[in-house]
Amino acid sequence: MEQKYTVALQKLIELQKKYGLDSTETLKAQKKLAEFQVVTPLLGEFSTGKSSLINALLGNKILGENITPETAVPTEICYGEQEKAIIYSNDNKPSKEITLEEYKQCSFSASETHKVRLYLNHPFLKEIETVRIVDMPGFNSGIELHNRAIDEYLPEAEAYLLTFDARTPTISEDMANFIKELKLHEVPVYFLITKARAVTEDECHICTDRIQQDAEKYLGLPQASIGVTNAKGKIKILEPFQADLREIEKKSQDIFRKVGQQQLAKCAFDLQLYLDTSIRQSVLSPSELEGKIEEVQQNMDRIQTKMEKERLHFEGQIGPCLDAIRIRLDRALRADAPELEDILLRQGNIKNRVILLVREVITKAFKEVFTPKISAYLGQTFHTLQMGIPENINLELMPEQLQIDRMVENTTREVIKMALPAILGVLGVAISGIIGGIIFGIVSILVALGFNKKREQEKRQMARRKIESELIPTIINVTMEKVQSVIADKVQEINAAIQRNVQLQIDAQKKALADLKKDQAAELEEKQARLTEWQQDLEQVRELQKA
């Protein structure tokens, strides 16, 4: 399948070069498809046996199995003919390439290493070639790793594999919150029970039932995919793990096909527009061609004027969207104030509670409030852009990919998929830093009031006042500042992409007309040269006759 799109894109590059069109985007698309993989994070509490499961799958102890939270880094595993390990530094850029044997001898610091990617020449990895497994750090290693699992891999991840130790099948609060977030992001989830041979068959059934109940509770899945595995000992059970990966591979082929078709249609568009314009306008005279060039520019100027009005209308809706998100966040935080109050009085970890609540509210609000506005804006923009395209263009080249509704749906989904992690990724650090001082101040006052039960009500009232007058307003201001910043960046990206599409249409049509004019001028020059030659030869014949 990959070969099909590689050949098609290569042919497009050759044709674009033949007609003097820019092939930069086609070369990028070719590279993107060549490197296409579906990212599949493998998650679970520390010591649930994630690394052991992968090692058993590979038949070799590649991954370390006694990792601490301080040394745990995400490790990506995928197929490669040449086995190697790529170390990524904290800026998420490749910093070093080492051999597999060198990798096995290394230890990594989570504070210095962003991730490691392993390329392994293994028959099963070859079978699931478009799947990249990510062995994530354990869930009980801290809230930031929890966020990283969602925020960093969400734009790429098409599925998550969640592991649970058969001996302790209860889902922790962190994992439950994570599962609920995955539901909001509509990411497929597969459940794997590990260490099945460490419990009895009846205990394993109980474990499966509990996971099923939680899957239905948190994800609304009455029939979740739950596999029972065992990675160590004489009897290894790997078939469910392999079956999940094969299913993800099958789905990845469908995703690849869609991506390939979209890239092909996108890259072929300017070439088709150029050739269509050349064919339709080839009968025009030089003066008519000059007029046509001016007509194309005038038409596109009208389109840009209309699009500018649509852009201003869309940007005018951003303020009310932000106000609606702010109101939702304020209501949610104030509704949760009694719980925050109790946590403060117990001197518990209020930051995790706040961050999780904010993430949930922002995710829902962004999708429900902002997404419809983006979709409507893109729909209007694509329809306006179509005014500058010859009528039969969309019907001749992959109509399925060039349908307006499909383009709007795909583009909107990509914008949201990239924007949400960008927002959520900065919230945790920002909120932690700002509210840390406020919380410390509140706790200090509570401690000063002592443990006198008579003052319990006084402490509770003071905690409530501080939460409502300081904590909640600060959280809202910090959050909305980040939300507004990311939305502004995404809107700028959208508008820049739209402007590139407009310029693409102008350039393709004007170049086609200019090339026709140039060809006509060359033909006229050649015809004039031949006429001159004929006249000279005729004069020579006449002179010869006189002789």
Side-chain angles (χ1 to χ4, degrees), residues 157-264:
E158 294 294 339
Y160 278 85
L161 292 163
L162 304 186
T163 59
F164 301 89
D165 190 329
R167 298 170 299 179
T168 54
T170 54
I171 293 183
S172 67
E173 183 180 357
D174 275 356
M175 179 65 86
N177 287 319
F178 177 79
I179 292 172
K180 285 189 284 187
E181 281 209 41
L182 289 182
K183 182 181 180 181
L184 292 174
H185 294 297
E186 300 173 353
V187 181
V189 177
Y190 297 81
F191 296 88
L192 291 170
I193 295 172
T194 61
K195 306 181 182 179
R197 301 295 293 179
V199 297
T200 66
E201 189 173 339
D202 288 342
E203 288 173 328
C204 194
H205 285 311
I206 292 171
C207 177
T208 303
D209 290 341
R210 285 182 182 174
I211 300 300
Q212 180 61 70
Q213 290 168 11
D214 286 330
E216 185 169 3
K217 176 181 177 182
Y218 297 120
L219 284 171
L221 295 175
Q223 297 296 326
S225 172
I226 303 176
V228 177
T229 68
N230 192 73
K232 291 189 174 182
K234 293 181 179 180
I235 301 176
K236 292 182 173 57
I237 308 171
L238 302 174
E239 291 80 5
F241 185 31
Q242 293 170 323
D244 287 347
L245 291 171
R246 287 190 179 105
E247 183 175 329
I248 294 168
E249 165 69 18
K250 184 178 179 181
K251 291 180 179 179
S252 76
Q253 293 296 328
D254 293 334
I255 295 168
F256 177 81
R257 188 180 296 106
K258 290 177 183 177
V259 171
Q261 289 171 343
Q262 290 166 4
Q263 292 294 322
L264 193 57

Side-chain angles (χ1 to χ4, degrees), residues 382-423:
F382 285 151
H383 279 290
T384 301
L385 275 172
Q386 211 177 23
M387 292 165 53
I389 304 173
E391 291 182 2
N392 64 331
I393 281 284
N394 282 12
L395 300 177
E396 292 183 353
L397 179 65
M398 294 188 180
E400 183 182 356
Q401 279 67 56
L402 290 177
Q403 288 175 358
I404 294 296
D405 291 344
R406 188 177 298 274
M407 290 175 71
V408 170
E409 181 185 349
N410 290 338
T411 306
T412 301
R413 186 185 298 114
E414 288 305 310
V415 169
I416 299 306
K417 202 172 184 181
M418 297 303 294
L420 262 178
I423 292 172

Side-chain angles (χ1 to χ4, degrees), residues 103 206 224 282 370:
Y103 164 77
I206 292 171
S282 60
F370 193 59

Side-chain angles (χ1 to χ4, degrees), residues 323-505:
D323 290 341
I325 294 173
R326 178 184 287 272
I327 290 170
R328 287 191 180 201
L329 185 57
D330 182 78
R331 286 174 179 169
L333 287 167
R334 294 193 185 281
D336 201 53
E339 180 63 29
L340 297 177
E341 178 185 314
D342 288 340
I343 296 173
L344 275 176
L345 292 171
R346 297 195 308 267
Q347 297 184 33
N349 189 344
I350 194 174
K351 287 193 291 185
N352 287 2
R353 173 84 180 190
V354 168
I355 291 170
L356 289 169
L357 177 62
V358 170
R359 288 171 66 89
E360 182 177 351
V361 172
I362 293 301
T363 300
K364 285 183 178 178
F366 195 86
K367 295 178 75 173
E368 293 172 5
V369 176
F370 193 59
T371 300
K373 305 298 183 186
I374 293 178
S375 183
Y377 174 50
L378 290 174
Q380 292 167 348
T381 299
F382 285 151
H383 279 290
T384 301
L385 275 172
Q386 211 177 23
M387 292 165 53
I389 304 173
E391 291 182 2
N392 64 331
I393 281 284
N394 282 12
L395 300 177
E396 292 183 353
L397 179 65
M398 294 188 180
E400 183 182 356
Q401 279 67 56
L402 290 177
Q403 288 175 358
I404 294 296
D405 291 344
R406 188 177 298 274
M407 290 175 71
V408 170
E409 181 185 349
N410 290 338
T411 306
T412 301
R413 186 185 298 114
E414 288 305 310
V415 169
I416 299 306
K417 202 172 184 181
M418 297 303 294
L420 262 178
I423 292 172
L424 299 177
V426 297
L427 285 182
V429 176
I431 291 175
S432 295
I434 294 296
I435 71 174
I438 296 175
I439 294 171
F440 179 77
I442 297 173
V443 172
S444 297
I445 295 172
L446 294 176
V447 171
L449 290 174
F451 299 97
N452 191 334
K453 289 187 177 181
K454 294 181 180 179
R455 308 193 71 177
E456 188 68 28
Q457 188 62 28
E458 182 183 349
K459 289 194 291 183
R460 186 170 290 278
Q461 290 174 351
M462 188 279 299
R464 176 65 63 89
R465 284 198 303 272
K466 288 289 186 179
I467 287 170
E468 293 184 346
S469 65
E470 294 183 33
L471 190 61
I472 290 177
T474 301
I475 292 168
I476 292 173
N477 289 336
V478 170
T479 301
M480 294 312 300
E481 180 183 342
K482 298 301 179 183
V483 170
Q484 184 172 1
S485 174
V486 172
I487 286 178
D489 289 343
K490 292 303 170 185
V491 169
Q492 188 174 0
E493 289 176 17
I494 292 170
N495 290 330
I498 289 170
Q499 189 57 44
R500 285 195 298 271
N501 283 329
V502 173
Q503 197 59 48
L504 182 72
Q505 288 191 33

Side-chain angles (χ1 to χ4, degrees), residues 63-319:
L63 304 176
E65 297 178 7
N66 296 307
I67 304 296
T68 66
E70 292 73 28
T71 60
V73 297
T75 304
E76 302 179 354
I77 302 102
C78 56
Y79 174 77
E81 289 188 9
Q82 181 183 357
E83 295 194 328
K84 59 185 177 181
I86 308 293
I87 315 301
Y88 288 73
S89 54
N90 271 337
D91 57 2
N92 200 18
K93 293 181 180 179
S95 61
K96 185 167 59 172
E97 178 179 322
I98 59 177
T99 66
L100 200 57
E101 289 305 315
E102 289 173 327
Y103 164 77
K104 291 179 181 179
Q105 303 303 316
C106 287
S107 61
F108 301 98
S109 167
S111 62
E112 297 176 358
T113 305
H114 189 78
K115 67 181 179 186
V116 178
R117 181 176 298 172
L118 303 179
Y119 292 90
L120 304 175
N121 192 341
H122 187 277
F124 185 76
L125 294 181
K126 174 69 174 174
E127 183 182 338
I128 57 165
E129 194 170 1
T130 59
V131 176
R132 189 192 316 158
I133 307 167
V134 187
D135 183 18
M136 292 295 297
F139 235 79
N140 50 3
S141 58
I143 191 70
E144 286 310 312
L145 285 176
H146 163 187
N147 294 345
R148 183 175 177 179
I150 302 175
D151 303 334
E152 182 171 326
Y153 285 100
L154 184 62
E156 298 178 274
E158 294 294 339
Y160 278 85
L161 292 163
L162 304 186
T163 59
F164 301 89
D165 190 329
R167 298 170 299 179
T168 54
T170 54
I171 293 183
S172 67
E173 183 180 357
D174 275 356
M175 179 65 86
N177 287 319
F178 177 79
I179 292 172
K180 285 189 284 187
E181 281 209 41
L182 289 182
K183 182 181 180 181
L184 292 174
H185 294 297
E186 300 173 353
V187 181
V189 177
Y190 297 81
F191 296 88
L192 291 170
I193 295 172
T194 61
K195 306 181 182 179
R197 301 295 293 179
V199 297
T200 66
E201 189 173 339
D202 288 342
E203 288 173 328
C204 194
H205 285 311
I206 292 171
C207 177
T208 303
D209 290 341
R210 285 182 182 174
I211 300 300
Q212 180 61 70
Q213 290 168 11
D214 286 330
E216 185 169 3
K217 176 181 177 182
Y218 297 120
L219 284 171
L221 295 175
Q223 297 296 326
S225 172
I226 303 176
V228 177
T229 68
N230 192 73
K232 291 189 174 182
K234 293 181 179 180
I235 301 176
K236 292 182 173 57
I237 308 171
L238 302 174
E239 291 80 5
F241 185 31
Q242 293 170 323
D244 287 347
L245 291 171
R246 287 190 179 105
E247 183 175 329
I248 294 168
E249 165 69 18
K250 184 178 179 181
K251 291 180 179 179
S252 76
Q253 293 296 328
D254 293 334
I255 295 168
F256 177 81
R257 188 180 296 106
K258 290 177 183 177
V259 171
Q261 289 171 343
Q262 290 166 4
Q263 292 294 322
L264 193 57
K266 177 183 173 184
C267 295
F269 179 75
D270 65 330
L271 178 60
Q272 190 200 13
L273 190 57
Y274 171 87
L275 293 173
D276 179 85
T277 303
S278 299
I279 293 168
R280 288 187 300 106
Q281 311 299 345
S282 60
V283 296
L284 300 181
S285 67
S287 60
E288 288 173 327
L289 283 171
E290 189 63 44
K292 201 69 180 177
I293 292 174
E294 293 179 8
E295 182 184 321
V296 167
Q297 185 61 58
Q298 290 171 358
N299 185 37
M300 296 309 294
D301 286 345
R302 286 193 294 272
I303 288 173
Q304 283 190 304
T305 299
K306 189 174 187 303
M307 291 176 62
E308 178 65 12
K309 291 180 180 178
E310 291 167 356
R311 181 186 69 80
L312 291 173
H313 176 70
F314 169 63
E315 291 182 355
Q317 294 178 310
I318 293 175

